Structures are given as structure tokens and as C-alpha cells.
């Protein structure tokens, strides 16, 4: 039963996307059609709160009970475990196998709550904000599709499923920034966002390939369990002995830099504010830009064995926080001020990750997303 509830969280926004896109094409912007994905997401919010209580809070409660009485712990032990769901095979080629695997732990549930709740509020806001737009149904369908890919990103139990969500949110970002495609600046900004993110996505792709070539698996549990055994191991590259885990961590960090707009790859974020305001609120201030931070927190088991890369992460985060804040001071466009402010706060999150304070980074991620 719990598995069905968990998978329904992923299915709900995709159903909303399909229904809204098809119905709006044939019927137009009827009130019922644009209300449908918003209602579905409200159900998702309630489900996320329930699951957060059931798995996260009861897990905390179980820890307190364990300190006082081991007998009482048996009552909640079945609810304090993480949940892994395997929907079957996807890619099979020799020894290379990718499965549709999803994983729900405390980190995932916190992100589920944040993404679903903020996405619902943005959908609700868009009902009025976009009410006079002739393409409101298409806009709402894109928002639902973005929510679906973001949920895939945070729940995937292997790097390929995560990468599917990663590229999906990039696609939705392009579609939503260029939603008013008759505006030249909106088109330019959308293409700029796509190209800049391709640089970091290429690094992430090489990182995933490297992970498979070393660990012979892309499943998070397998990779993280094997990581300690490769500590200090090197490979020969252009006559230099390069640390394996440091190389993988560096590639993953480069991937995170694009999505989370760190210095050097930050230029797309201020221009991305050319999209409608709900897009700026949902994607470029609250959810998609935190995907890079989420990736670093998720892969902390690898980063902890690469202290040199952690130092670089700290420096890049600190530089981004300072540079973006000062750049924001001299902007005349209020949305660009918000963009640079977001960029600065993402720098703080990355900075905290570099200091191995992943819990502080996640706390600020949630805090910033809501404000």
C-alpha cells in the first residue's frame, strides 16, 4: 500500500500535464481544465505531509523511544525504514543494466514536501496571473511537467534516473522561459540557459560514465558502499597520477555548478527571469536551481573522500555568495536583483557543503525556497 502511495506522488503531476495539454488544445482555457493540475498537486501536498510524518517524524520518535525502552520500539520499527521501489528494467546491454528504481528516505521526503508545496502554490498563483493569457492551459501543463521531472530527480535510486529528471527540468526551464516566444529577449534567454547548462551537463555525463567504469554500477547504494575501497587509488592521465574519487567528485561538482548557478556558470540565471513571474518563482528561485545542491548532498559519500575537491567547493561557494550579492546591489531590474540574491544564497548552500555541513545546507535550501 505504501509503495502505491509513494509512486502516486510521481504519477499525479504527469497525469495533470497530459490532461491539461491535450484538453486545452481541443477545448481551450476552460476553468475546469486549468484547475485540474492544481487540484492534483494539492492532493500531492497532503500525501507528502502524510509521508513526511509517517517516515521522518516517526523515525525521530523511534529514536527517542529506543533511548527509553527497546520494547516499545517494535511498534514503530516497520514505519521508520527507508523505502526502495523497483518498477522493472529499462536498459540492458551486456553487463550494463539500468532499472526504474526509486528511493525514499528522509532527504527525499523533505525535498518532496518542498517541491510539491511550492509547486502547488505557484500553480495556484498562476490561475490568476495567467488568466488573461490565451495559452494558459499550455503554461499550466508545462508547470506540471516540470514538477514531474523534479520529483523524478529527487527520488531516483540510480544516476541514470536522476539524470533523466536532471535533463527534464532543463527542458521545462527552456519551454517556460520562452513561453512568450514572440518576445526576442525571451527566446535569447531560453537558448542561453540551455547552452550554459549543456556545459555542466556534459561534465555530469562524463562523471556518470566514470562512476560506471570504476564501480560497475550506477545504483547509489552500491556506489556509496564501494567508495571507501577506492580511497587513495589513482589512474594515469597524461603522465600524471590522478585520484579517482577526486576526479569523480570534481565532475559531479561541475555538473552541480551549472544548475545551481555558481560563479562562471551563473550568467544564465539573471536572464532567465525573462519568463513569466510564476516561472521565476518556481524554477529559478526555489526548486530547479537547488538541484545542484541536492546532488552534492546526495553524493556526499563520494565528496567526503575527496578533501581537495571539498576545499574547491568551499571556495567556489564563498566566491559566488560574495560576487552575486555585490552584483545584485547595482541592478535596476527588480527580477534581476532577486536572481542575483538567489545566486548568492545558492553560494551559501554550496559553501556549507564544502565544509561538510550538509544538514545546514539542506536547512538553508528549504528556508530559501519558502521565502
Amino acid at each position: 500500500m505504501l509503495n502505491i502511495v509513494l509512486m502516486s506522488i510521481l504519477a499525479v503531476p504527469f497525469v495533470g500535464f497530459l490532461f491539461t495539454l491535450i484538453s486545452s488544445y481541443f477545448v481551450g482555457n476552460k476553468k475546469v481544465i486549468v484547475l485540474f493540475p492544481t487540484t492534483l498537486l494539492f492532493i500531492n501536498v497532503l500525501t507528502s505531509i502524510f509521508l513526511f510524518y509517517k517516515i521522518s517524524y516517526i523515525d525521530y520518535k523511534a529514536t527517542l523511544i529506543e533511548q527509553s525502552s527497546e520494547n516499545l520500539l517494535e511498534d514503530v520499527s516497520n514505519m521508520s525504514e527507508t523505502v526502495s521501489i523497483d518498477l522493472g528494467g529499462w536498459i540492458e546491454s551486456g553487463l550494463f543494466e539500468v532499472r526504474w528504481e526509486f528511493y525514499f528516505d528522509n532527504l527525499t521526503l523533505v525535498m518532496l514536501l518542498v517541491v510539491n508545496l511550492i509547486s502547488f502554490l505557484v500553480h495556484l498563483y498562476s490561475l490568476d496571473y495567467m488568466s488573461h493569457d490565451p495559452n494558459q492551459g499550455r503554461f499550466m501543463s508545462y508547470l506540471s511537467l516540470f514538477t514531474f521531472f523534479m520529483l523524478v530527480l529527487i527520488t531516483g535510486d540510480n544516476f541514470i534516473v536522476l539524470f533523466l529528471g536532471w535533463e527534464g527540468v532543463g527542458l521545462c526551464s527552456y519551454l517556460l522561459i520562452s513561453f512568450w516566444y514572440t518576445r526576442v529577449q525571451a527566446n535569447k534567454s531560453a537558448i542561453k540557459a540551455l547552452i550554459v547548462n549543456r556545459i555542466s551537463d556534459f561534465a555530469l555525463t562524463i562523471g556518470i560514465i566514470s562512476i560506471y567504469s570504476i564501480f560497475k554500477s550506477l545504483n547509489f547504494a552500491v556506489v556509496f558502499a564501494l567508495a571507501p575501497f577506492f580511497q587513495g587509488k589513482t589512474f594515469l592521465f597524461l603522465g600524471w597520477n590522478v585520484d579517482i574519487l577526486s576526479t569523480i567528485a570534481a565532475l559531479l561538482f561541475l555538473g552541480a555548478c551549472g544548475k545551481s548557478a555558481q560563479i562562471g556558470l551563473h550568467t544564465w540565471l539573471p536572464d532567465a527571469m525573462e519568463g513569466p513571474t510564476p516561472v521565476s518563482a518556481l524554477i529559478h528561485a526555489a526548486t530547479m536551481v537547488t538541484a545542484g545542491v541536492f546532488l552534492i548532498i546526495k553524493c556526499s559519500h563520494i565528496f567526503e573522500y575527496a578533501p581537495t575537491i571539498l576545499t574547491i567547493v568551499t571556495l567556489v561557494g564563498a566566491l559566488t555568495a560574495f560576487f552575486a550579492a555585490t552584483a545584485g546591489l547595482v541592478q535596476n531590474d527588480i527580477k534581476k536583483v532577486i536572481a542575483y540574491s538567489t545566486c548568492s544564497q545558492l553560494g551559501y548552500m554550496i559553501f556549507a557543503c564544502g565544509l561538510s555541513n550538509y544538514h545546514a545546507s539542506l536547512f538553508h535550501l528549504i528556508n530559501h525556497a519558502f521565502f
Side-chain angles (χ1 to χ4, degrees), residues 4 10 27 36 39 58 70-71 84 93 113 117 155 174 188 213 216 244 249 258 267 273 306 312 316 318 346 364 370:
I4 296 173
L10 290 177
V27 181
F36 184 72
T39 307
I58 294 181
E70 292 185 1
N71 295 330
S84 182
S93 177
L113 188 59
L117 183 51
T155 57
Y174 171 80
K188 286 182 177 179
S213 65
K216 307 304 178 190
I244 289 173
T267 53
M273 292 295 180
I312 295 172
V316 170
L346 290 166
H364 190 50
F370 279 109

Side-chain angles (χ1 to χ4, degrees), residues 74-358:
E74 295 176 2
D75 297 332
V76 293
S77 61
N78 61 332
M79 292 182 283
S80 62
E81 297 176 357
T82 56
V83 179
S84 182
I85 300 173
D86 186 348
L87 297 182
W90 178 14
I91 304 169
E92 290 186 20
S93 177
L95 295 176
F96 179 68
E97 183 182 8
V98 178
R99 303 186 66 81
W100 289 106
E101 296 173 311
F102 299 92
Y103 184 72
F104 297 83
D105 60 358
N106 288 344
L107 172 63
T108 302
L109 290 170
V110 167
M111 291 296 293
L112 278 178
L113 188 59
V114 171
V115 171
N116 279 318
L117 183 51
I118 292 178
S119 185
F120 163 68
L121 293 174
V122 170
H123 273 71
L124 197 63
Y125 174 60
S126 301
L127 291 177
D128 182 67
Y129 186 88
M130 301 293 290
S131 60
H132 303 295
D133 194 289
N135 296 309
Q136 186 185 14
R138 181 164 61 88
F139 181 80
M140 299 297 284
S141 69
Y142 287 168
L143 286 183
S144 292
L145 183 63
F146 167 80
T147 306
F148 167 72
F149 279 123
M150 192 68 198
L151 294 178
V152 169
L153 191 158
I154 61 181
T155 57
D157 197 21
N158 60 63
F159 281 97
I160 298 296
V161 175
L162 179 143
F163 191 69
L164 173 69
W166 188 276
E167 290 300 309
V169 294
L171 168 66
C172 293
S173 176
Y174 171 80
L175 293 173
L176 286 164
I177 295 170
S178 62
F179 180 75
W180 288 323
Y181 52 82
T182 53
R183 296 179 64 245
V184 175
Q185 192 56 44
N187 280 317
K188 286 182 177 179
S189 299
I191 293 170
K192 184 177 182 179
L194 201 65
I195 292 173
V196 172
N197 274 281
R198 289 292 73 75
I199 299 169
S200 61
D201 291 354
F202 178 71
L204 180 61
T205 305
I206 300 299
I208 292 173
I209 293 170
S210 303
I211 288 170
Y212 181 75
S213 65
I214 298 298
F215 299 104
K216 307 304 178 190
S217 175
L218 291 173
N219 184 276
F220 288 127
V222 175
V223 172
F224 298 157
L226 291 175
F229 298 101
F230 288 89
Q231 187 178 11
K233 298 291 178 68
T234 60
F235 68 97
L236 197 63
F237 181 72
L238 299 178
W240 294 82
N241 286 318
V242 184
D243 187 76
I244 289 173
L245 293 180
S246 293
T247 303
I248 292 172
L251 290 167
L252 293 176
F253 177 58
L254 275 173
C257 280
K259 276 286 188 288
S260 291
Q262 294 305 289
I263 190 167
L265 293 173
H266 70 283
T267 53
W268 66 272
L269 186 58
D271 288 349
M273 292 295 180
E274 287 294 331
T277 297
V279 176
S280 304
L282 177 65
I283 295 184
H284 306 121
T287 51
M288 189 189 89
V289 289
T290 61
V293 180
F294 172 80
L295 178 66
I296 296 175
I297 296 172
K298 185 82 173 179
C299 298
S300 58
H301 298 80
I302 295 175
F303 280 89
E304 285 303 301
Y305 293 106
T308 305
I309 304 303
L310 280 179
T311 304
I312 295 172
V313 171
T314 306
L315 291 172
V316 170
L319 280 171
T320 304
F322 177 76
F323 164 77
T326 51
L329 290 173
V330 294
Q331 298 299 314
N332 296 320
D333 184 346
I334 187 66
K335 288 185 78 175
K336 287 194 175 181
V337 173
I338 294 170
Y340 277 111
S341 170
T342 298
C343 194
S344 177
Q345 299 308 308
L346 290 166
Y348 282 113
M349 297 174 209
I350 297 289
F351 174 73
C353 288
L355 296 176
S356 298
N357 283 331
Y358 303 103

